Amino acid sequence: MSKPALLSTGPMMPLMVTRMEDAFEVHWLNEIKDRDAFLDTVGPRIEAICTGAHTAVRTDVAMLSRLPALKVIGNYGVGYDSIDVPEAKKRGVIITNTPDVLNEEVADTAVGLLLMTVRELSRAEVWMRNGQWAATAADYPYTPSLRDRSVGLVGYGRIGKAIGRRLEAFGVPISYFGRKAQADVPLPFYDDLVAMAEDVDTLIAILPGGPATQNLINAQVLEALGPQGVLINMARGTVVDEPALKTALRSGKILAAGLDVFWNEPRIDPDLLTIPNLTVLPHVGSGSIYTRSKMGNLTVDNLIAYKERKPPMTPVPETPFKGW
Ligand code: 8YV
């Protein structure tokens, strides 16, 4: 049986490469010099795409219109904002993602970043490595604390709930922001983000990226969060107005921020790295060997389901499976 043609928009982890090359004729976009010529000649045969936020390639109208035989997109990650969903849907393409398998890992990282930011853990380590402990024989300056804080979760989906469970164990009260209140959730709910930012002093963003949430956390929200305010972003860079955040951090409008995600990853605004009250991580939320293996296998399982004309495990809600 001939192998269907698959386009990978960038490099993937070895276990995915092995399984994909076994089942498909794989073309690696990152290795193709003349993409235009490739899309002209091979594009019409491509039936599957494997993509992920780390490839920084948009599966947009320009790309989709060159792939008339496309049936399935396997997104390595839960967030699929790099894909033009309405266009894929219009073309009858099923999008799959990797929900649930990363919830606990991302929640662990979120709480880690929160503690790093509030208790200045990376700054304290740098201070010690630079010999300042030995030189000064002084305590590292006392830091802000998680004690007496209250957290507003910007997004209360599966990962938001996993973060909430952890914060409960930390004795930190939580509220949540969303479009509508969720049944059986006894927490304070806000559909007005400025109002929630006024009532809490810590925001954790964990909601989908894309046009609907672009710059949701803007100057007004940061102002409402106030001078003791801490912002943690585990979602997508696009949900935070980055220039407004820089101004708020530099002017003391908020106390500190911790970012795992940025505009223009991986070539982020270098000016961000000069801001001392900003803690940064290179988009490592789900980046453990354990969790990435589960995500990688689920991504390929979905693609192979197409090859075998079986139902995909995890199609996204916008493109429900109705047959191949
Ligand atoms: C991955 C993510 O970094 O799941 C997501 O949406 O952002 C991450 O877990 C990314 O998908 C890798 O491409």
Side-chain angles (χ1 to χ4, degrees), residues 58-133:
R58 299 197 60 76
T59 307
D60 54 12
V61 188
M63 164 88 85
L64 289 167
S65 61
R66 311 286 293 273
L67 309 174
L70 188 69
K71 295 289 185 303
V72 63
I73 302 175
N75 185 70
Y76 171 60
V78 68
Y80 45 98
D81 49 309
S82 67
I83 301 167
D84 184 330
V85 178
E87 184 64 26
K89 191 174 167 168
K90 202 172 88 191
R91 292 169 176 275
V93 175
I94 302 279
I95 303 169
T96 68
N97 68 342
T98 64
D100 293 321
V101 292
L102 44 52
N103 296 348
E104 305 303 321
E105 200 74 67
V106 178
D108 289 353
T109 315
V111 174
L113 182 55
L114 175 64
L115 285 169
M116 285 170 74
T117 306
V118 173
R119 295 296 328 283
E120 299 180 10
L121 298 181
S122 15
R123 284 168 85 178
E125 182 175 1
V126 170
W127 184 83
M128 182 174 166
R129 284 182 187 272
N130 286 346
Q132 281 160 281
W133 196 20

Side-chain angles (χ1 to χ4, degrees), residues 106-107 110-111 114 150-168 172-180 182 185 187-193 196-197 199-207 216-217 221 225 230-235:
V106 178
V111 174
L114 175 64
S150 68
V151 168
L153 285 162
V154 186
Y156 197 59
R158 289 172 284 208
I159 306 175
K161 291 189 172 77
I163 297 172
R165 284 197 299 277
R166 284 158 175 75
L167 292 178
E168 206 180 306
V172 174
I174 60 173
S175 320
Y176 72 105
F177 162 84
R179 270 170 307 187
K180 47 183 186 346
Q182 297 185 30
V185 172
L187 303 173
F189 162 73
Y190 294 82
D191 59 8
D192 177 342
L193 186 52
M196 184 168 82
D199 288 354
V200 303
D201 51 24
T202 308
L203 292 178
I204 302 180
I206 185 68
L207 77 176
L216 179 72
I217 301 177
V221 172
L225 195 57
V230 169
L231 170 70
I232 302 297
N233 188 7
M234 296 299 297

Side-chain angles (χ1 to χ4, degrees), residues 3-317:
K3 292 177 176 179
L6 178 150
L7 177 63
S8 183
T9 64
M12 297 290 160
M13 60 191 304
L15 74 84
M16 296 172 72
V17 176
T18 308
R19 293 189 62 204
M20 285 197 295
E21 290 197 326
D22 230 37
F24 294 93
E25 171 196 311
V26 184
H27 299 268
W28 299 96
L29 193 62
N30 49 306
E31 289 171 8
I32 294 166
K33 291 226 165 54
D34 187 345
R35 291 186 180 186
D36 223 40
F38 167 81
L39 288 169
D40 272 346
T41 51
V42 186
R45 290 201 294 113
I46 297 289
E47 293 174 51
I49 284 183
C50 184
T51 189
H54 70 283
T55 69
V57 171
R58 299 197 60 76
T59 307
D60 54 12
V61 188
M63 164 88 85
L64 289 167
S65 61
R66 311 286 293 273
L67 309 174
L70 188 69
K71 295 289 185 303
V72 63
I73 302 175
N75 185 70
Y76 171 60
V78 68
Y80 45 98
D81 49 309
S82 67
I83 301 167
D84 184 330
V85 178
E87 184 64 26
K89 191 174 167 168
K90 202 172 88 191
R91 292 169 176 275
V93 175
I94 302 279
I95 303 169
T96 68
N97 68 342
T98 64
D100 293 321
V101 292
L102 44 52
N103 296 348
E104 305 303 321
E105 200 74 67
V106 178
D108 289 353
T109 315
V111 174
L113 182 55
L114 175 64
L115 285 169
M116 285 170 74
T117 306
V118 173
R119 295 296 328 283
E120 299 180 10
L121 298 181
S122 15
R123 284 168 85 178
E125 182 175 1
V126 170
W127 184 83
M128 182 174 166
R129 284 182 187 272
N130 286 346
Q132 281 160 281
W133 196 20
T136 60
D139 282 352
Y140 179 82
Y142 299 152
T143 69
S145 174
L146 210 52
R147 305 298 106 221
D148 283 341
R149 275 191 179 270
S150 68
V151 168
L153 285 162
V154 186
Y156 197 59
R158 289 172 284 208
I159 306 175
K161 291 189 172 77
I163 297 172
R165 284 197 299 277
R166 284 158 175 75
L167 292 178
E168 206 180 306
F170 278 67
V172 174
I174 60 173
S175 320
Y176 72 105
F177 162 84
R179 270 170 307 187
K180 47 183 186 346
Q182 297 185 30
D184 304 324
V185 172
L187 303 173
F189 162 73
Y190 294 82
D191 59 8
D192 177 342
L193 186 52
V194 173
M196 184 168 82
E198 266 161 10
D199 288 354
V200 303
D201 51 24
T202 308
L203 292 178
I204 302 180
I206 185 68
L207 77 176
T213 58
Q214 183 137 16
N215 288 338
L216 179 72
I217 301 177
N218 56 19
Q220 203 194 351
V221 172
L222 297 170
E223 175 100 43
L225 195 57
Q228 289 308 310
V230 169
L231 170 70
I232 302 297
N233 188 7
M234 296 299 297
R236 280 292 183 264
T238 51
V239 309
V240 174
D241 179 338
E242 239 175 49
L245 176 64
K246 290 201 303 191
T247 305
L249 287 168
R250 288 207 164 106
S251 64
K253 276 206 158 57
I254 68 166
L255 181 73
L259 304 180
D260 185 47
V261 286
F262 304 84
W263 289 11
N264 293 328
E265 293 177 19
R267 277 170 282 282
I268 68 155
D269 173 2
D271 188 36
L272 285 170
L273 303 178
T274 68
I275 302 176
N277 49 343
L278 175 66
T279 304
V280 292
L281 291 177
H283 199 148
V284 294
S286 63
S288 70
I289 298 164
Y290 177 92
T291 295
R292 285 298 174 87
S293 302
K294 296 217 176 243
M295 290 164 62
N297 274 321
L298 180 54
T299 307
V300 182
D301 288 346
N302 274 304
L303 292 167
I304 290 178
Y306 161 68
K307 184 185 176 186
E308 296 177 349
R309 302 296 188 267
K310 291 181 180 154
M313 292 73 202
T314 47
V316 304

